[in-house]
Amino acid sequence: MQAATTKPRIWIGHWLMGVAALHTVFAAVVFGKVLRTMAERGLFNSVGADPLLGAVTWFVLFGFVLALLSLAVTALERSGQSVALRQLGFGLILLCGLGIVLMPASGFWLAIVPALAMLRKGATAAPQMASA
């Protein structure tokens, strides 16, 4: 009998996109007043030297960067690029670890599961590469 082959489930990039969406919605809700103030100033150089405006800007931009990462991860999952997934997973777990140490009450916890999954996908592919 021939063993049935199943396609690996593509979910990690989708999970990260969900986190990116939550991050962006959270920014709009929690920092809405700050974002409106920036918009009223005319966006160009609206941050200036204000640390709160700088922090809010980076918070919002990080949501977009996470969304871009999710697109790349989805493409890597679909193409079976497990080595690249493992490398990204290692970087993501380090980023999450640092983020959790600096801000335990944060959304960094939401990226631990996909980071571990990327590490796991890369580890299961390593023996296949060695035998090739």
Side-chain angles (χ1 to χ4, degrees), residues 8-13 68-89 118 121:
R9 190 166 161 234
I10 308 299
W11 66 273
I12 300 169
L68 291 172
L69 175 66
S70 76
L71 295 173
V73 167
T74 299
L76 291 170
E77 284 183 284
R78 286 192 175 130
S79 64
Q81 299 291 323
S82 55
V83 173
L85 281 170
R86 184 177 174 91
Q87 292 169 339
L88 283 173
M118 286 190 277
K121 279 193 177 203

Side-chain angles (χ1 to χ4, degrees), residues 5-28:
T5 58
T6 58
K7 292 171 73 174
R9 190 166 161 234
I10 308 299
W11 66 273
I12 300 169
H14 301 303
W15 178 300
L16 291 172
M17 183 61 82
V19 173
L22 284 172
H23 193 273
T24 304
V25 168
F26 181 86

